[in-house]
Amino acid sequence: MSYTGHDTARMLAEPQKGGVLPGSSRPRRSPFSRDRARVLHSAALRRLAGKTQVVGPGEGTEVYGVPRTRLTHSLEVAQIGREIAEELGCDPDVVDTAGLAHDIGHPPFGHNGETALDMAARAHGGFEGNAQTLRILTRLEPKADGVGLNLTRAVLDASVKYPWPRRPGKRKFGVYEDDRPVFDWIRQGAPDRRCCLEAQVMDWSDDVAYSVHDVEDGVRAGRISLAVLAGSQERAAIAELAAKHFSDEPLSELEAAAAHLLDLPALAAAVGYDGSVGAQVALKRLTSELVGRFASAAVTETRRVHGEGALTRYSADLVVPRQAAVEVALLKSLALRYVMSDPARLAMQEYQRQLLTELLGALGERAPDALEPAFQPAWRDAGDDGQRFRVLIDQVASLTDAQAVAWHERLVRSK
């Protein structure tokens, strides 16, 4: 199945590209490669360099060295997704762009900030990083009047991890109510609540990237010792976390899979990491082999089920083997247990949530003047309190970690 005019359509028709000097030529780019360039050059993507992945930018550099940020994570997701797409016959630029864009809706302090903003906005539709991503791509990031970056339908659809509005009792969703018109345009002809293949590839690439790389960063920082996998008590604790947060497999099966992780030669070779050159080489080899293992597993199983030929959009679903999914869930649980559940980190996260809540309140008292110029017209044009609060959310969500702290210092602490 090839991509059609329906897939390459944009919300706003665009004139022929200008700016080429007489007598010169410019290589012809596909609509999807143009989309990739737009996201790559966007301010929203650059801001991810200042937003928390597991640790904050610049936090604990004496321990972590140079930790991953949301930006470096997004680049890694894009690269993994691109390679899977090439193997399956998806357009690599569609998946690459979705990988670059998938986290641009994250607020300051990552998922912790997401929790704070969702609690603050619960009376006005809540907050969800994926819904915010859609809002940025189609409304807030300036490129074309009123339609954000004016990306193609296929790329926008590939960026939608949760193709449904908020539902009672469900935390994850992909669109706010006032963004429904553009969401409905994107989803024209799409099966209800089903992600396109390119979105599924992006989602699996995201899982692979942060499960493997968060463990790598944790080992390098001395927070994770792979030797814990040899102990039955710790394996049981890791399996319990996986069952609670990341997997529907029976606990006994998760424990058994955890026991077999050390059977992987590359993982066994990285046990006892001490920071030496040899240990760094072993750890990097482990990272490379795990990423390759999980990516190739999905490609092989998807081909087994769907056969050869180009697989695109809704012609197939990504098929992830159970073993690969279980191993990724266990790696996520390693990072959760030994890095993200640290008491000092939990206390810091509580402070960060309070900071964002107080900042929202201070901005509400001083809006529109306290808002950046780009957000002031939306505040003045808002028809009710809910619309005005959404502008406050958009403003705070756009800030980096350091900007949120600085704005709080200026607007709250200096009062």
Side-chain angles (χ1 to χ4, degrees):
M1 175 183 174
S2 60
Y3 295 90
T4 67
H6 178 81
D7 303 321
T8 59
R10 302 183 189 277
M11 287 180 287
L12 182 66
E14 297 183 352
Q16 185 70 27
K17 187 79 171 180
V20 178
L21 292 172
S24 64
S25 62
R26 183 186 182 98
R28 185 175 182 276
R29 294 185 295 165
S30 75
F32 301 143
S33 67
R34 290 184 185 278
D35 285 356
R36 180 181 181 276
R38 291 179 185 189
V39 173
L40 190 62
H41 291 287
S42 69
L45 183 67
R46 292 196 300 275
R47 281 195 291 268
L48 294 184
K51 298 193 180 189
T52 295
Q53 173 63 11
V54 174
V55 299
E59 177 194 338
T61 52
E62 71 283 356
V63 175
Y64 285 89
V66 183
R68 286 172 167 87
T69 65
R70 284 280 160 189
L71 177 59
T72 57
H73 164 71
S74 297
L75 295 173
E76 289 165 338
V77 171
Q79 182 270 326
I80 295 168
R82 187 177 191 90
E83 291 194 0
I84 295 175
E86 289 171 345
E87 293 287 338
L88 295 178
C90 306
D91 189 293
D93 284 323
V94 173
V95 178
D96 192 323
T97 306
L100 291 173
H102 83 284
D103 264 355
I104 63 173
H106 267 284
F109 313 126
H111 289 295
N112 188 46
E114 191 176 17
T115 298
L117 295 188
D118 184 47
M119 292 177 62
R122 59 187 178 275
H124 305 293
F127 180 88
E128 215 287 333
N130 296 280
Q132 194 70 16
T133 290
L134 180 66
R135 189 172 178 85
I136 290 169
L137 294 176
T138 61
R139 183 193 292 243
L140 300 179
E141 182 69 21
K143 171 68 177 178
D145 288 343
V147 292
L149 291 176
N150 200 31
L151 304 178
T152 60
R153 178 182 275 114
V155 164
L156 287 171
D157 199 19
S159 304
V160 177
K161 273 177 76 168
Y162 307 108
W164 53 78
R166 188 160 208 170
R167 296 176 289 172
K170 301 294 183 181
R171 171 68 185 87
K172 295 295 186 181
F173 61 99
V175 58
Y176 302 122
E177 279 304 315
D178 60 348
D179 293 323
R180 282 295 295 271
V182 66
F183 176 81
D184 291 341
W185 178 87
I186 294 167
R187 298 289 295 172
Q188 284 178 19
D192 188 41
R193 297 184 183 178
R194 179 182 168 194
C195 289
C196 63
L197 176 61
E198 292 85 352
Q200 294 175 49
V201 172
M202 175 270 287
D203 193 18
W204 178 241
S205 301
D206 185 22
D207 278 353
V208 170
Y210 84 73
S211 64
V212 174
H213 295 139
D214 286 0
V215 169
E216 179 193 347
D217 282 353
V219 171
R220 286 175 52 246
R223 302 294 299 278
I224 295 175
S225 170
L226 297 175
V228 299
L229 293 169
S232 59
Q233 186 172 347
E234 284 303 296
R235 284 201 308 268
I238 292 164
E240 285 178 10
L241 285 174
K244 180 179 180 180
H245 297 286
F246 307 121
S247 178
D248 295 326
E249 295 292 336
L251 182 59
S252 59
E253 304 230 357
L254 289 167
E255 286 192 51
H260 287 296
L261 279 176
L262 282 174
D263 293 341
L264 299 174
L267 196 149
V271 171
Y273 178 85
D274 61 5
S276 65
V277 172
Q280 291 184 51
V281 169
L283 183 60
K284 187 54 67 176
R285 183 178 295 120
L286 170 62
T287 300
S288 178
E289 291 200 15
L290 287 176
V291 169
R293 175 184 179 86
F294 299 141
S296 64
V299 169
T300 299
E301 190 66 6
T302 301
R303 284 298 189 193
R304 186 189 69 79
V305 172
H306 295 290
E308 297 302 314
L311 303 177
T312 63
R313 303 285 278 140
Y314 294 97
S315 65
D317 288 307
L318 189 72
V319 185
V320 177
R322 172 188 164 281
Q323 182 66 27
V326 164
E327 290 177 1
V328 164
L330 291 169
L331 290 175
K332 290 180 185 178
S333 300
L334 266 175
L336 178 60
R337 179 164 175 79
Y338 300 109
V339 178
M340 288 172 270
S341 298
D342 176 72
R345 178 162 302 283
L346 294 177
M348 181 179 67
Q349 288 178 336
E350 183 177 356
Y351 167 74
Q352 291 169 344
R353 292 192 296 271
Q354 179 183 349
L355 181 151
L356 292 181
T357 303
E358 292 174 352
L359 179 56
L360 279 169
L363 282 172
E365 293 173 0
R366 304 187 186 192
D369 293 343
L371 303 174
E372 291 178 321
F375 293 101
Q376 292 180 12
W379 172 274
R380 296 190 178 97
D381 293 342
D384 56 39
D385 289 343
Q387 292 178 0
R388 280 185 284 273
F389 199 82
R390 183 59 58 189
V391 177
L392 298 181
I393 291 288
D394 288 341
Q395 171 69 89
V396 172
S398 75
L399 302 176
T400 65
D401 293 11
Q403 286 175 326
V405 172
W407 281 46
H408 182 266
E409 180 71 27
R410 175 168 56 87
L411 296 174
V412 178
R413 295 176 64 89
S414 63
K415 286 177 65 175

